[in-house]
Amino acid sequence: MTTTDWIQFWLAIGTGILAIISTIAIIITIIQNKRIIESAKRAFLLMYKDTISVTSPIEYLVIKNSGNTTAHITSISYNQDEIDLLSKEYSKLNVALNGLNNSYIAPNQSYKIPIKSKNTGINTLNFSIKYTSDKKEYSDSFTINLTQDYNIPYVKQSINNNDLKVISQALQELIKRID
């Protein structure tokens, strides 16, 4: 073999190796893009506590779909004793949570369930939620700190002899809070 043949031989091997590396890089990129697209399209369910203060603070347990597709809630698990304590005071939280099993929640839709957690002795709630989105199953766990806002002062609007202005400001707050 001549020197030219050896150069061509090694160039062919180098070209083959680079082609294999390029193919592997393309496959990895395609797999990553597929994961990114699936992640961008899927539903993401969140559970958290929110408080709205117009005349007096009202607490809500919020379940929200912050993703881009509809989620099918297959089950919500929780500590029944803690939920019963919260249900005594204000609402039938356990009935509302059970009603959400086997339900659907659209993108940016949320359910706000009123609760009253003060003076119940419960500091945190643990939830496990299972749902499907585009035929894939997901499971998330949430620990909700019920006392997170107890020490935050709430300012009340009071305008002498101007009840319409107070009502207007309260309505503006409610409208601002609607998702």
Side-chain angles (χ1 to χ4, degrees):
M1 283 181 88
T2 65
T3 306
T4 306
D5 292 339
W6 279 109
I7 292 173
Q8 288 178 350
F9 173 74
W10 287 111
L11 282 174
I13 289 178
T15 303
I17 291 171
L18 288 176
I20 291 171
I21 291 171
S22 296
T23 304
I24 292 171
I26 289 170
I27 291 170
I28 290 171
T29 302
I30 289 170
I31 291 171
Q32 288 177 336
N33 284 345
K34 181 182 176 191
R35 288 182 185 155
I36 290 169
I37 290 169
E38 285 176 0
S39 178
K41 280 182 31 178
R42 70 168 269 207
F44 285 98
L45 293 189
L46 301 172
M47 291 184 78
Y48 57 93
K49 176 190 164 192
D50 194 10
T51 304
I52 296 176
S53 181
V54 175
T55 56
S56 64
I58 301 172
E59 300 170 296
Y60 292 93
L61 176 64
V62 180
I63 302 170
K64 181 176 182 172
N65 181 356
S66 64
N68 293 317
T69 59
T70 300
H72 175 221
I73 300 171
T74 55
S75 71
I76 300 176
S77 304
Y78 48 85
N79 181 322
Q80 186 65 50
D81 294 333
E82 292 175 345
I83 297 300
D84 287 343
L85 279 174
L86 287 177
S87 294
K88 273 186 193 178
E89 290 292 321
Y90 201 68
S91 68
K92 295 296 180 191
L93 180 58
N94 56 347
V95 173
L97 290 171
N98 287 335
L100 290 175
N101 284 324
N102 199 27
S103 67
Y104 293 87
I105 183 167
N108 293 317
Q109 181 183 5
S110 63
Y111 296 112
K112 294 176 178 84
I113 306 166
I115 61 173
K116 187 172 182 183
S117 64
K118 281 194 174 185
N119 303 320
T120 60
I122 301 170
N123 294 328
T124 59
L125 287 176
N126 295 303
F127 291 95
S128 177
I129 187 165
K130 294 181 182 179
Y131 59 98
T132 59
S133 175
D134 289 333
K135 300 179 184 174
K136 290 194 175 188
E137 288 190 25
Y138 300 96
S139 177
D140 289 314
S141 296
F142 300 95
T143 299
I144 299 171
N145 181 357
L146 296 174
T147 63
Q148 69 190 17
D149 58 353
Y150 284 0
N151 295 325
I152 298 173
Y154 292 97
V155 178
K156 300 290 179 238
Q157 296 290 331
S158 177
I159 302 167
N160 294 335
N161 297 326
N162 201 344
D163 293 336
L164 286 177
K165 190 166 186 178
V166 172
I167 292 169
S168 171
Q169 290 172 346
L171 288 172
Q172 289 174 34
E173 173 67 16
L174 288 173
I175 290 169
K176 180 178 82 173
R177 303 284 301 206
I178 294 174
D179 309 315

